[in-house]
Amino acid sequence: MATPDQIPTDLTIDLGDDLSPEEFVAAVRNFMGYVAEITDAQKGDGADVSWTVRVREGSALVGVEPNAGAPQSRLAMIYNMAGYGPLALARGDIAGAGLSEKAINHLKSLSDLVSKHKNGKGVNLWVKKKPVGIGVGIAKIIREDWETDYHDFGTIEGRLEAIQDASGSLKIRVKDFLYPKAINCIVPERMIDHVLGSFRKRVEIEGRIHYRRDGTPISIEAQVIDVLPEDSELPTADEVRGIMAGA
């Protein structure tokens, strides 16, 4: 493992010396993706934070250095989140980690890379010259949490985004503006023609909804799909007032 005096920046990843070239590239890509996500999460003061890559020659240390004008208060929050996120995930506190789903997925991918190697050595993030381990357990915890769900009957409203065959059934995705990620929808054979006619339209889907522990819907087993009118087809405020006046 590297020592603090070898770390090139305040936010660095130590990838060790046993990754293949393909794994090294994947690890760097996920590290940069993680940095981008936690940087984006700290927007709000109008000041941009950009990063320059710094690599220590002859090592597997890849760091990022902020632009000269980056506000120190925002950098402090980014560094704090960079170190706190993996620690929270490692102890199973996924909701409390305060990370976006993309950021969590980047750390999961780094953890998965670690699990491929028999020596069991983890990847280390170095935050302000202090190591934060990303071990095998993080991917396992995330996977178990994402696969553990409960279900209930209800409705989801959104726009039909994609259609694809999936193991003999029709699998579609519906984008609900309330959630950042599209929701998978399993449709029975009898509804295929109706779904094809509803593609790219706003719909309301009724059925059994599967949720994650935090209440985010993962998928819905459709029983009824109703096409909703577009905004342009809805009556205007003046038209509604006219209807009410006539009543």
Side-chain angles (χ1 to χ4, degrees):
M1 186 179 75
T3 57
D5 61 292
Q6 296 175 311
I7 304 304
T9 69
D10 285 335
L11 186 51
T12 295
I13 189 168
D14 181 1
L15 299 172
D17 55 4
D18 58 352
L19 296 180
S20 68
E22 294 79 12
E23 290 171 335
F24 183 87
V25 171
V28 172
R29 186 181 296 116
N30 279 290
F31 168 62
M32 299 304 298
Y34 179 58
V35 172
E37 283 296 309
I38 60 178
T39 301
D40 189 63
Q42 298 301 329
K43 284 183 177 178
D45 56 9
D48 289 332
V49 175
S50 58
W51 302 94
T52 301
V53 176
R54 296 282 183 254
V55 180
R56 185 178 178 87
E57 187 176 357
S59 73
L61 299 172
V62 180
V64 290
E65 188 172 76
N67 58 297
Q72 292 301 311
S73 58
R74 187 175 172 199
L75 287 175
M77 291 188 291
I78 292 171
Y79 292 140
N80 181 68
M81 181 58 68
Y84 180 78
L87 294 176
L89 295 181
R91 64 173 179 265
D93 187 11
I94 294 179
L99 300 173
S100 68
E101 187 167 308
K102 285 185 178 179
I104 292 173
N105 208 38
H106 286 308
L107 291 178
K108 174 181 172 293
S109 296
L110 287 171
S111 179
D112 279 331
L113 281 174
V114 174
S115 68
K116 295 180 180 180
H117 297 274
K118 295 179 181 179
N119 60 21
K121 291 181 180 179
V123 167
N124 276 329
L125 282 181
W126 285 82
V127 183
K128 307 290 285 189
K129 306 292 184 176
K130 295 182 179 179
V132 179
I134 301 177
V136 177
I138 286 181
K140 183 175 183 294
I141 288 170
I142 294 171
R143 190 171 291 109
E144 289 176 351
D145 183 83
W146 283 2
E147 290 177 354
T148 301
D149 64 341
Y150 62 93
H151 58 81
D152 196 3
F153 284 88
T155 59
I156 289 176
E157 180 181 325
R159 190 170 296 277
L160 204 57
E161 280 195 335
I163 301 176
Q164 67 181 95
D165 290 322
S167 303
S169 63
L170 191 67
K171 187 175 183 181
I172 64 176
R173 295 172 61 215
V174 176
K175 185 64 177 71
D176 189 324
F177 75 93
L178 293 175
Y179 304 101
K181 189 175 181 180
I183 301 163
N184 291 327
C185 177
I186 305 301
V187 180
E189 186 75 19
R190 60 180 175 80
M191 297 178 65
I192 288 181
D193 290 340
H194 181 55
V195 168
L196 291 174
S198 306
F199 185 47
R200 293 181 179 173
K201 295 181 180 180
R202 290 179 62 246
V203 296
E204 182 182 72
I205 303 175
E206 179 182 342
R208 186 166 69 169
I209 306 173
H210 292 260
Y211 298 89
R212 289 184 183 154
R213 291 179 182 177
D214 63 1
T216 302
I218 303 170
S219 63
I220 180 169
E221 299 174 33
Q223 294 183 352
V224 177
I225 298 180
D226 291 324
V227 176
L228 300 175
E230 297 293 336
D231 292 342
S232 60
E233 300 173 349
L234 297 173
T236 65
D238 289 339
E239 290 171 338
V240 171
R241 282 195 292 269
I243 293 172
M244 296 299 294

